[in-house]
Amino acid sequence: MIKNTEGINYFFKPESIVVIGASDVAATFGTRYLQALMDIGFKGRLYAVNYKGDETLGLKIYRSVMELPGTPELACICVSAKYGPDVLRECHKKGVKAAIILSAGFSEYDEEGKRLEREIVEIAREGIRVMGPNCFGTYCPAGRVTVVPGGHFPKEAGGVALLTQSGQLAEGITAPAFGEGVRYSKVASYGNACNTNEADLLEYLMRDNETQIFSAYLEGVRDGRRFFNIARVNRGKKPIIIWKVGLTNMGAAAASSHTGSLAGDSIVWDTFFKQTGAIRVETREELIDTSIGFSCLPSGTGTGVAFISGGGAGTVIGADACEMAGMHLPSFTAGTAARLNELLPSAGTIAKNPLDIGTPHPPLEIFTKVLEALAESDGVDVIVIRRIFFAIKAARYFAGAHAPSPDQVEAIKQVPVNIKQKYNKPVVIILPEDLTGTEDIELEQERRELRDFYFRHGIPVFRSEQRAFVALGYLAGFRKDQGIHIDIPAKIDTESKGRALFLDTIKNAGSSVLDEIQCKKILKEYGLESTEPVLCKTEKDAVTAAENFGYPVVMKIISPQITHKSDIGAVKLNLKNANDVKTAFNDIMSVSREKAPNATLEGVSVQRMARPGLELVIGMTKDQQFGPMVMFGMGGTLVEVLKDISFRITPLSRQDASEMIRETKVYTLLKGYRGQASVDIPYLEELLLKVSAMVKENPEIKEMDINPLFAYEKNAVAVDARIILEAETI
Amino acid sequence: MIKNTEGINYFFKPESIVVIGASDVAATFGTRYLQALMDIGFKGRLYAVNYKGDETLGLKIYRSVMELPGTPELACICVSAKYGPDVLRECHKKGVKAAIILSAGFSEYDEEGKRLEREIVEIAREGIRVMGPNCFGTYCPAGRVTVVPGGHFPKEAGGVALLTQSGQLAEGITAPAFGEGVRYSKVASYGNACNTNEADLLEYLMRDNETQIFSAYLEGVRDGRRFFNIARVNRGKKPIIIWKVGLTNMGAAAASSHTGSLAGDSIVWDTFFKQTGAIRVETREELIDTSIGFSCLPSGTGTGVAFISGGGAGTVIGADACEMAGMHLPSFTAGTAARLNELLPSAGTIAKNPLDIGTPHPPLEIFTKVLEALAESDGVDVIVIRRIFFAIKAARYFAGAHAPSPDQVEAIKQVPVNIKQKYNKPVVIILPEDLTGTEDIELEQERRELRDFYFRHGIPVFRSEQRAFVALGYLAGFRKDQGIHIDIPAKIDTESKGRALFLDTIKNAGSSVLDEIQCKKILKEYGLESTEPVLCKTEKDAVTAAENFGYPVVMKIISPQITHKSDIGAVKLNLKNANDVKTAFNDIMSVSREKAPNATLEGVSVQRMARPGLELVIGMTKDQQFGPMVMFGMGGTLVEVLKDISFRITPLSRQDASEMIRETKVYTLLKGYRGQASVDIPYLEELLLKVSAMVKENPEIKEMDINPLFAYEKNAVAVDARIILEAETI
């Protein structure tokens, strides 16, 4: 049985490869794959197999893997889906360590394909690592293997790894990224992920010494919980950049709790990104830009930007983009401002940050001295230069008779490099495509040459202010989180009595919804205080219970079918004497019979009336990909209207608990608002951790609401609660 | 005195031009400007003026405008700021109709510049239209005038107008747009807008027959209210596309009401876009893409998209981008699906929308028939095609041995054009830059040629899914609004008594804050019902007032300095008898003395206690650019915490009132939530219109809060209210 990362290395650095399905027809997938491996210069032994035999690309084609004179480490299988299992079985028998099944026609296609894929999974379990099916393979310049089509991919390796479910995007993302200067350690198109999934590859790449930056295009994740855990424990170590697609069409699944109905797929992924510190990009361009940023700049780059532009509009656009990305433009000190004012031609420029240097083609000396002043200025972590004319053709084109000479342009071009080296200060350049006409292709050529020149000197070049600052913002954000989030999930000691009581309760529940009385007993075992209701079947019982508590009391219907009790009038508050209690008992029973004629009425609960507190909600629901999530927010009957809530995937860390409270609007009230006392926030954090622990210990819980929870200056009390069980539990 | 659009035509289509400041030095701004006019082929009479005389570019340089043998219609002034007023005065004396002052060094620069600009404004008022100063001029291919540098701009005109405060962006936006195929009617860089501002130009361009699409780069607007009104009355006529920058750094101004503190600059502009139907773009790329979309496609294009891609990932990315932009992918009918299933090779493709055609290089016949099926399918308003290989080099590059022949590629390239023509159905193509390497520049060249080819056939080409759908979304959104918003602001008859009472009240107010009693009297005159409080100076008065109302009553401190009355305990509710009232009177006075020792205590108000209703807020504040705005939302003490509010610039139309209610979360409650009765929404709409009318009639009001307003099934009552006056009023 193959586990986790075992054998994954064979996908990237095999000693020898057999391509099964290569033939003498150049256009077949197998032959193209073989050709690509030859083109990129695979250095180990290459074999070809095809049941028809013959030869191709100078290699003998063996009729079967069994006939091979040696045992290849990796098999690349490009045969029809229906032959897939047999071929894989032979590979395993032969002693092949790993196989990439490139063929399509499996679970993504039809029922027969699903069956074939299950067979593949069974064979893989016997001890052969499988990637795919329905993928384009892997690219690893150090191992000289490549995807299809990828024979021409660079042989030079870099620090970026790329994971992509889509085969086409193995090339669709890398091809434009190569041009921008990005170099990869390892690229895997993993297709249907039947045996090697996102979590396996993430774990492998987090440990891989050749990979410094992890990037991925994800449509979904097979083992969300493991993927989450790996990303989380690696937080702050290597940047994890994810382009998650397919979010928009997936609404929240039908759910019977507040919490369930509020947790949409988009919210779940938001939560994933918050807890793992992974970077969420939204387009191919952002994925590439962010890869460029992390490839060029130290991840310690801060948020302080000195922005320089040759013209006023650039500074306004730059300042907008800068602030939107969470970066900032520190004010220049009086000393820096004085230096700049002396250097800059008077008209239209004032020495402030962002700095308008007044002309897109400043004289060499001015440009140099201005950049020196910026580099020496306090609080400047990175210098961003917008469209000064480094390009000879552009300078001529845009400046007309004003154009600097080619020598001047060449000298200006060198300045940012000199500054970067002299001060060891990150420099970023924005070079928009100014002319996009077909007849202006030479300018684009020159732009690309310039981009390459700067990239070679560790200066990333972006095409717009927005694209530059988005990448810089992610870079700065990554640094910020380092160390903080290494905080492991909090361990809360729970009495083992909690689990025992829970199991006992659900055994006798007879319904998938636990009632308020059952819930509150369980909550108590996990350390959550509540008004402890007593089930009363008669008027008399109710009065006895009330007298035991002392007045005032609250009474509610107990029925598994009645969820919104107050909506039908089956909740009575502030009952002050025995008469009130008797009347309430009868009113509640009769209104429940009337409004919910088919409901089973267990009786009426009596409980002490909690003194008014700040109304909060704590809930739990399960996501299909990531499992249990805890919710916190403003409570009461308006929870679904106000939607002032936050989520975290369990198990919660202390920091999770702290942050999820602080990102709600109700936090303003928790702190004490307009003369009101503050509530006990550390106590609430503790409660969230207890709920996280309870949820972990009792996987039979499908959804839960504690709503309202009354929060006070010193503690908090669950006023109402509901637990919904997994259907298979009862 | 020049008004509104008078004389603006001279900026774009002058019969004759004098360039003042042109010289024999090629690099000066004036000479470059003259050169640009010659390059673009200005057909009228050209003159040059410079106090030194001499000649340039084959023209005699006159020493002064007064010496010119004829009278030019337009003067372009490129002299130092300090000579600006004298030169302009001469132009006016000579009879020049309009002047563009390109020189910088005016109000954007220093105090002396501000003085010079005020002088310019004075001269302009005498009867010469002025654009600038601090700008790069205008471009109008039909008039053969151009900006600097712009001698090489296309002579071919199109339907897009561009307004830009920044001179540099007159070229910075148009240059890349020209390449993408956009053609302009008129471009104006208007600089400091001292005499010709955004509103003047918008009004002119809305009437201009040569302009079908209005676009603008705005840093701010000088006459926001007029700009708003013009945009609003033209809603749905010509698309108005605005790139508004400089939003991020401008927080809400210090304000003393809830409403004031909640209206930030970003919210104000959101409101502007909602009410005018103008399209808000956020980058240069979006501005250009949207211009392309509107230039190519009918503004009647709907939201139904058939999306086709050669590979699975493209369909996922496309579907995300489509939905995010508010477009949709209608399901294919059974008939269409059957046709498609028959056409498409089996593996990996299922006939659904978005459609994966299975290969990036489909056979000609299949491609044609698939597109025909899509064009004939129900609900498809536009066909979007992603990266099928129309390009010969790309096909070879990506398909390798699989590559179609040049003839096949040429034939495939023609298919979208044929489909568009045959079905008269909008077609859009997404052609990403797949290879961005310097060595791959030929592919970019070919991409551009293809783009030009399709653009010529009315098929817009975008670089990514996101960029295509953003543009399509705006196009569809524009159509949707047509006709709906022509709704003029509602006229509410107000008793003239309201104005008289207001003026009388503020004359005697003695404070910039009107108290609850004063406010409610004024509100009543405008038709807003309230609990009518009575000011009581003694315990005895209070009891008398209470007995007149009948119990229960509410009592509150009346003091101009105490705004958050309930926070200090100076509000007493539910007082049920004379004793309660007496105690309350004394408690309120003493707590107020204690908590606000410096406040003037006018007395205590007594009013009937309103029965509980849904707590709402209606407010008003003034924006520096757009003037009075009305706010609606969830009320009570938490209004600033929940921020469940909406704004509209006054005067409100009925549709504004309706929409601003419906965009809040509290609307769910207004409709009746979980068994609660609904409230009187038409009544609330009416209230908003009344507030809008009141605000218009009383410009002395700076801010106002009606909070809470209790809303009921049949009406609504103002429970508390405050009006803050403009400082200069008292």
Side-chain angles (χ1 to χ4, degrees):
Chain A
M1 174 98 184
I2 299 272
K3 276 197 180 166
N4 299 349
T5 64
E6 192 186 333
I8 289 182
N9 206 41
Y10 296 116
F11 295 133
F12 300 109
K13 292 185 167 179
E15 295 280 330
S16 47
I17 304 178
V18 56
V19 179
I20 305 172
S23 73
D24 58 344
V25 183
T28 61
F29 206 86
T31 317
R32 287 170 64 202
Y33 198 74
L34 191 60
Q35 181 70 58
L37 290 172
M38 289 175 169
D39 288 347
I40 202 161
F42 179 69
K43 289 174 177 156
R45 185 75 198 261
L46 269 180
Y47 302 97
V49 163
N50 189 316
Y51 74 99
K52 294 185 211 155
D54 210 335
E55 66 168 56
T56 182
L57 306 171
L59 286 184
K60 170 182 165 63
I61 301 182
Y62 293 90
R63 287 178 190 277
S64 126
V65 169
M66 301 313 287
E67 288 180 12
L68 294 180
T71 299
E73 281 189 344
L74 176 67
C76 299
I77 301 176
C78 312
V79 300
S80 292
K82 62 184 166 193
Y83 303 122
D86 290 342
V87 167
L88 184 65
R89 211 171 274 117
E90 280 192 348
C91 289
H92 180 43
K93 203 165 158 193
K94 180 76 176 176
V96 173
K97 298 290 202 305
I100 303 177
I101 304 179
L102 294 97
S103 330
F106 289 90
S107 66
E108 83 287 0
Y109 184 52
D110 63 2
E111 286 307 314
E112 173 60 9
K114 284 199 177 70
R115 197 194 59 74
L116 291 167
E117 194 166 306
R118 280 194 300 272
E119 220 178 317
I120 299 283
V121 172
E122 287 307 315
I123 301 163
R125 282 205 183 122
E126 290 166 23
I128 180 166
R129 183 100 220 177
V130 172
M131 184 176 286
N134 186 28
C135 72
F136 280 15
T138 61
Y139 162 66
C140 175
R144 287 282 202 276
V145 297
T146 195
V147 296
V148 177
H152 58 285
F153 277 18
K155 295 185 178 70
E156 182 195 348
V160 185
L162 172 68
L163 209 63
T164 162
Q165 186 166 346
S166 151
Q168 211 169 59
L169 285 185
E171 181 276 323
I173 292 169
T174 56
F178 287 140
E180 301 290 344
V182 179
R183 290 295 175 268
Y184 290 90
S185 55
K186 283 155 181 118
V187 173
S189 89
Y190 60 89
N192 296 359
C194 79
N195 173 260
T196 302
N197 66 25
E198 300 84 358
D200 302 320
L201 288 162
L202 179 66
E203 186 174 346
Y204 172 84
L205 292 165
M206 282 295 121
R207 289 192 203 147
D208 178 34
N209 289 332
E210 294 173 359
T211 298
Q212 277 79 52
I213 300 154
F214 173 89
S215 70
Y217 164 89
L218 298 180
E219 292 177 4
V221 285
R222 269 34 156 230
D223 188 349
R225 185 143 273 268
R226 206 175 126 234
F227 188 76
F228 169 73
N229 286 333
I230 296 165
R232 198 185 196 197
V233 298
N234 283 288
R235 178 167 185 144
K237 286 179 191 157
K238 297 179 185 180
I240 297 174
I241 309 164
I242 295 177
W243 179 17
K244 172 70 183 80
V245 296
L247 281 176
T248 45
N249 245 324
M250 305 155 87
S256 35
S257 70
H258 292 297
T259 312
S261 67
L262 288 164
D265 196 54
S266 178
I267 286 182
V268 175
W269 277 95
D270 279 346
T271 304
F272 171 88
F273 284 101
K274 281 178 196 160
Q275 288 180 273
T276 59
I279 293 158
R280 172 183 224 155
V281 295
E282 295 190 340
T283 61
R284 183 171 78 153
E285 288 69 29
E286 272 192 20
L287 182 63
I288 294 170
D289 289 340
T290 308
S291 300
I292 293 169
F294 276 101
S295 295
C296 269
L297 302 175
S299 64
T301 304
T303 59
V305 175
F307 187 90
I308 172 173
S309 160
T315 61
V316 181
I317 299 167
D320 266 21
C322 179
E323 196 175 320
M324 275 180 204
M327 308 287 286
H328 77 284
L329 297 158
S331 297
F332 293 140
T333 58
T336 304
R339 274 173 77 180
L340 292 170
N341 276 328
E342 205 163 299
L343 286 166
L344 290 174
S346 55
T349 51
I350 299 150
K352 58 173 197 267
N353 192 11
L355 182 68
D356 176 5
I357 198 171
T359 164
H361 31 81
L364 177 63
E365 199 196 332
I366 301 284
F367 187 48
T368 305
K369 289 190 168 166
V370 164
L371 285 184
E372 283 175 352
L374 297 185
E376 290 168 15
S377 181
D378 286 345
V380 172
D381 300 309
V382 55
I383 299 173
V384 179
I385 307 171
R386 181 188 187 271
R387 197 209 198 220
I388 305 293
F389 287 126
F390 312 103
I392 295 168
K393 291 196 189 75
R396 271 203 217 123
Y397 187 90
F398 289 97
H402 242 36
S405 71
D407 282 356
Q408 286 170 320
V409 170
E410 272 297 325
I412 285 179
K413 177 178 141 184
Q414 193 62 41
V415 176
V417 177
N418 299 344
I419 294 292
K420 177 182 184 286
Q421 288 166 352
K422 181 171 171 189
Y423 295 94
N424 194 25
K425 177 85 69 179
V427 175
V428 167
I429 292 177
I430 296 163
L431 277 186
E433 252 174 311
D434 282 296
L435 293 176
T436 56
T438 306
E439 67 284 7
D440 301 311
I441 195 75
E442 276 193 15
L443 272 165
E444 172 63 11
Q445 166 98 15
E446 203 176 4
R447 195 189 65 76
R448 292 183 181 190
E449 284 165 2
L450 259 172
R451 174 199 64 190
D452 299 347
F453 167 80
Y454 285 117
F455 197 91
R456 280 197 302 277
H457 290 92
I459 296 178
V461 172
F462 299 97
R463 297 206 201 184
S464 72
E465 294 78 4
Q466 292 85 5
R467 291 180 65 169
F469 280 111
V470 164
L472 283 173
Y474 288 139
L475 206 73
F478 179 72
R479 186 202 61 147
K480 202 177 61 189
D481 287 328
Q482 267 181 336
I484 298 178
H485 259 265
I486 309 297
D487 158 41
I488 52 163
K491 255 210 165 131
I492 295 291
D493 280 329
T494 63
E495 320 266 329
S496 57
K497 277 161 70 186
R499 178 67 180 154
L501 175 63
F502 179 81
L503 287 174
D504 192 54
T505 306
I506 66 174
K507 204 168 69 188
N508 303 310
S511 157
S512 65
V513 183
L514 299 189
D515 66 39
E516 186 188 348
I517 299 174
Q518 295 166 323
C519 289
K520 285 182 172 174
K521 280 185 185 152
I522 293 165
L523 290 178
K524 189 182 178 187
E525 289 303 325
Y526 287 94
L528 283 87
E529 201 186 321
S530 75
T531 54
E532 297 171 22
V534 174
L535 176 63
C536 301
K537 304 257 181 196
T538 67
E539 202 183 287
K540 194 168 154 256
D541 287 356
V543 172
T544 310
E547 313 258 293
N548 286 341
F549 282 119
Y551 294 102
V553 294
V554 169
M555 293 170 66
K556 304 180 193 174
I557 192 70
I558 295 294
S559 163
Q561 289 83 25
I562 303 177
T563 48
H564 291 332
K565 296 183 277 266
S566 56
D567 290 6
I568 64 160
V571 175
K572 301 284 175 187
L573 306 174
N574 205 20
L575 306 169
K576 289 177 174 163
N577 51 50
N579 264 346
D580 281 3
V581 168
K582 283 181 202 163
T583 314
F585 185 91
N586 295 315
D587 286 357
I588 288 174
M589 291 300 282
S590 64
V591 79
S592 300
R593 267 186 222 108
E594 182 201 334
K595 296 281 174 67
N598 300 318
T600 311
L601 307 183
E602 313 263 351
V604 175
S605 71
V606 176
Q607 57 196 290
R608 68 180 169 85
M609 178 151 148
R611 69 189 161 92
L614 192 52
E615 288 193 40
L616 302 175
V617 60
I618 292 180
M620 186 283 273
T621 187
K622 277 181 184 165
D623 176 66
Q624 287 200 332
Q625 292 185 88
F626 294 113
M629 303 173 65
V630 170
M631 179 179 89
F632 172 82
M634 192 179 284
T637 52
L638 299 186
V639 59
E640 273 150 322
V641 175
L642 297 174
K643 290 181 182 142
D644 176 34
I645 44 166
S646 60
F647 281 91
R648 289 295 184 277
I649 301 167
T650 63
L652 263 54
S653 71
R654 282 192 183 277
Q655 181 163 345
D656 288 335
S658 166
E659 285 179 354
M660 71 189 292
I661 290 173
R662 282 161 181 79
E663 74 189 43
T664 56
K665 288 178 184 165
V666 75
Y667 177 59
T668 306
L669 303 185
L670 300 181
K671 285 186 300 180
Y673 179 67
R674 290 178 56 178
Q676 298 297 311
S678 62
V679 310
D680 194 344
I681 295 173
Y683 188 90
L684 293 177
E685 291 173 359
E686 207 66 23
L687 278 195
L688 289 167
L689 295 173
K690 285 172 181 169
V691 167
S692 175
M694 180 180 88
V695 159
K696 190 179 174 191
E697 216 170 75
N698 302 292
E700 298 85 355
I701 302 178
K702 188 181 168 215
E703 296 176 40
M704 184 183 73
D705 283 329
I706 302 173
N707 183 29
L709 174 84
F710 279 7
Y712 305 115
E713 278 184 79
K714 281 290 157 223
N715 64 343
V717 167
V719 173
D720 202 356
R722 191 177 357 156
I723 286 174
I724 296 158
L725 303 173
E726 293 287 357
E728 65 270 26
T729 311
I730 53 148
Chain B
M1 174 102 183
I2 299 275
K3 275 196 180 168
N4 299 350
T5 64
E6 191 186 334
I8 289 182
N9 208 39
Y10 296 116
F11 296 133
F12 300 109
K13 293 185 167 177
E15 295 279 330
S16 47
I17 303 179
V18 55
V19 179
I20 305 172
S23 73
D24 58 344
V25 183
T28 62
F29 206 86
T31 316
R32 287 169 64 203
Y33 198 75
L34 190 61
Q35 181 70 59
L37 290 172
M38 289 175 170
D39 288 348
I40 202 160
F42 179 68
K43 288 173 178 158
R45 184 75 196 262
L46 269 179
Y47 303 97
V49 163
N50 189 316
Y51 73 99
K52 294 184 213 155
D54 211 336
E55 65 167 57
T56 183
L57 306 171
L59 287 184
K60 170 183 166 66
I61 302 182
Y62 294 90
R63 286 177 191 277
S64 126
V65 170
M66 301 313 288
E67 289 179 13
L68 294 181
T71 300
E73 281 188 343
L74 176 68
C76 299
I77 302 177
C78 312
V79 301
S80 292
K82 62 183 169 197
Y83 303 122
D86 290 342
V87 167
L88 184 65
R89 210 170 274 117
E90 281 192 349
C91 289
H92 179 45
K93 205 165 156 192
K94 180 77 176 176
V96 173
K97 298 289 201 306
I100 303 176
I101 305 180
L102 295 97
S103 329
F106 288 90
S107 66
E108 83 287 359
Y109 183 53
D110 64 2
E111 285 306 314
E112 174 59 9
K114 284 199 177 71
R115 197 194 59 74
L116 291 167
E117 194 166 306
R118 281 194 299 273
E119 222 180 315
I120 299 283
V121 172
E122 287 307 315
I123 302 163
R125 282 207 184 122
E126 290 167 23
I128 180 167
R129 184 101 220 177
V130 173
M131 183 175 288
N134 186 29
C135 72
F136 281 14
T138 60
Y139 161 66
C140 174
R144 288 281 202 276
V145 298
T146 194
V147 296
V148 177
H152 58 285
F153 277 16
K155 296 184 178 69
E156 182 195 347
V160 185
L162 172 69
L163 210 62
T164 161
Q165 186 166 345
S166 151
Q168 212 169 60
L169 286 185
E171 180 275 325
I173 292 169
T174 56
F178 286 140
E180 300 291 344
V182 179
R183 290 294 175 269
Y184 290 90
S185 56
K186 286 162 178 105
V187 174
S189 90
Y190 61 89
N192 297 358
C194 79
N195 174 259
T196 302
N197 65 25
E198 300 84 357
D200 301 319
L201 288 162
L202 179 65
E203 185 174 346
Y204 172 84
L205 292 165
M206 282 294 121
R207 289 192 202 147
D208 179 33
N209 289 332
E210 294 173 359
T211 298
Q212 277 79 52
I213 300 154
F214 174 89
S215 70
Y217 164 89
L218 298 180
E219 293 176 4
V221 285
R222 276 14 160 246
D223 188 350
R225 186 144 274 267
R226 207 176 125 232
F227 188 76
F228 169 72
N229 286 333
I230 296 165
R232 199 186 196 196
V233 299
N234 283 288
R235 177 167 188 145
K237 287 179 190 156
K238 296 180 185 179
I240 297 175
I241 308 165
I242 296 177
W243 179 18
K244 171 72 182 79
V245 297
L247 282 176
T248 44
N249 245 323
M250 305 156 87
S256 36
S257 70
H258 292 296
T259 313
S261 67
L262 287 164
D265 196 55
S266 178
I267 286 182
V268 175
W269 277 96
D270 279 346
T271 304
F272 170 89
F273 284 100
K274 281 178 197 162
Q275 289 180 273
T276 59
I279 293 158
R280 172 184 224 153
V281 296
E282 295 191 340
T283 61
R284 184 171 77 153
E285 289 70 29
E286 272 192 20
L287 182 62
I288 294 171
D289 289 341
T290 308
S291 300
I292 294 169
F294 276 101
S295 294
C296 270
L297 302 175
S299 64
T301 304
T303 60
V305 175
F307 188 90
I308 172 172
S309 160
T315 61
V316 181
I317 300 167
D320 265 20
C322 178
E323 196 174 321
M324 275 181 205
M327 308 287 286
H328 77 284
L329 298 158
S331 297
F332 293 140
T333 58
T336 305
R339 273 173 79 179
L340 291 170
N341 276 328
E342 204 163 297
L343 286 165
L344 290 175
S346 55
T349 51
I350 299 150
K352 57 173 197 265
N353 191 12
L355 181 69
D356 176 5
I357 199 171
T359 164
H361 32 83
L364 176 63
E365 199 196 332
I366 301 285
F367 187 47
T368 306
K369 290 190 168 168
V370 164
L371 284 184
E372 283 175 351
L374 298 184
E376 290 168 15
S377 181
D378 285 346
V380 172
D381 300 308
V382 54
I383 299 174
V384 179
I385 307 171
R386 181 187 186 272
R387 196 209 198 220
I388 304 293
F389 288 127
F390 312 104
I392 294 168
K393 292 194 188 75
R396 272 204 214 121
Y397 187 90
F398 288 97
H402 243 38
S405 71
D407 282 356
Q408 287 171 320
V409 170
E410 272 298 325
I412 284 180
K413 177 177 141 185
Q414 194 63 42
V415 176
V417 178
N418 299 344
I419 294 292
K420 177 183 184 288
Q421 288 166 353
K422 181 171 171 189
Y423 295 94
N424 194 24
K425 177 84 71 180
V427 175
V428 167
I429 291 178
I430 296 163
L431 277 186
E433 253 175 310
D434 282 296
L435 292 176
T436 57
T438 306
E439 68 284 8
D440 300 311
I441 194 75
E442 275 192 17
L443 271 164
E444 172 63 11
Q445 167 98 15
E446 203 175 5
R447 194 190 66 77
R448 292 183 181 190
E449 284 165 4
L450 260 172
R451 174 199 63 190
D452 299 348
F453 166 81
Y454 285 117
F455 197 90
R456 279 196 303 276
H457 289 93
I459 296 178
V461 172
F462 298 97
R463 298 207 200 182
S464 72
E465 294 78 3
Q466 292 85 6
R467 292 180 64 169
F469 280 110
V470 164
L472 284 173
Y474 288 139
L475 206 73
F478 179 72
R479 185 201 62 147
K480 202 177 62 190
D481 287 328
Q482 266 181 336
I484 298 177
H485 258 265
I486 309 298
D487 157 42
I488 52 163
K491 254 208 167 136
I492 295 292
D493 280 328
T494 64
E495 320 266 329
S496 58
K497 276 162 71 188
R499 178 67 179 154
L501 174 63
F502 180 82
L503 287 174
D504 192 54
T505 306
I506 66 174
K507 204 169 68 186
N508 302 309
S511 157
S512 64
V513 184
L514 299 189
D515 66 39
E516 186 188 348
I517 298 174
Q518 295 166 324
C519 289
K520 285 181 172 175
K521 281 184 185 151
I522 294 165
L523 291 177
K524 190 182 177 188
E525 289 303 324
Y526 287 93
L528 283 88
E529 199 186 323
S530 75
T531 54
E532 299 172 22
V534 176
L535 176 63
C536 302
K537 303 256 181 196
T538 66
E539 203 183 285
K540 195 168 152 257
D541 287 356
V543 172
T544 310
E547 314 259 293
N548 285 341
F549 282 118
Y551 295 101
V553 294
V554 169
M555 293 169 66
K556 305 179 193 176
I557 192 68
I558 296 293
S559 163
Q561 289 83 26
I562 303 176
T563 47
H564 291 331
K565 295 183 278 264
S566 56
D567 290 6
I568 63 161
V571 175
K572 302 283 177 188
L573 306 174
N574 204 20
L575 305 168
K576 290 178 174 163
N577 52 49
N579 263 346
D580 283 3
V581 169
K582 283 181 203 165
T583 315
F585 185 91
N586 294 314
D587 286 357
I588 287 173
M589 289 302 282
S590 64
V591 80
S592 300
R593 268 186 222 109
E594 183 200 335
K595 297 280 172 67
N598 300 318
T600 311
L601 307 183
E602 313 264 353
V604 174
S605 71
V606 177
Q607 57 197 288
R608 68 181 169 86
M609 179 153 146
R611 70 188 161 93
L614 191 52
E615 288 193 41
L616 303 174
V617 60
I618 292 180
M620 187 282 276
T621 188
K622 278 182 183 165
D623 176 67
Q624 287 200 333
Q625 293 185 86
F626 295 111
M629 302 173 64
V630 170
M631 180 179 89
F632 172 83
M634 191 179 286
T637 53
L638 299 187
V639 58
E640 273 150 320
V641 175
L642 297 174
K643 290 183 181 138
D644 176 35
I645 44 167
S646 60
F647 281 91
R648 288 297 184 274
I649 301 167
T650 62
L652 264 54
S653 70
R654 281 190 185 277
Q655 180 163 347
D656 288 335
S658 166
E659 285 179 354
M660 70 189 293
I661 289 173
R662 282 161 179 79
E663 73 189 45
T664 56
K665 288 177 183 166
V666 75
Y667 177 60
T668 306
L669 304 184
L670 301 181
K671 285 185 298 180
Y673 179 67
R674 289 178 56 177
Q676 299 296 310
S678 63
V679 311
D680 193 344
I681 295 173
Y683 188 90
L684 293 176
E685 292 172 358
E686 207 66 22
L687 278 194
L688 289 168
L689 296 173
K690 285 172 180 170
V691 168
S692 175
M694 179 179 88
V695 159
K696 190 178 174 193
E697 215 169 78
N698 302 291
E700 299 85 356
I701 302 177
K702 188 180 166 215
E703 296 176 38
M704 184 184 73
D705 283 329
I706 302 173
N707 183 28
L709 173 85
F710 279 6
Y712 306 114
E713 279 184 77
K714 281 290 154 221
N715 64 344
V717 167
V719 173
D720 201 356
R722 192 178 354 158
I723 286 174
I724 297 157
L725 303 172
E726 292 288 356
E728 66 270 25
T729 312
I730 53 149

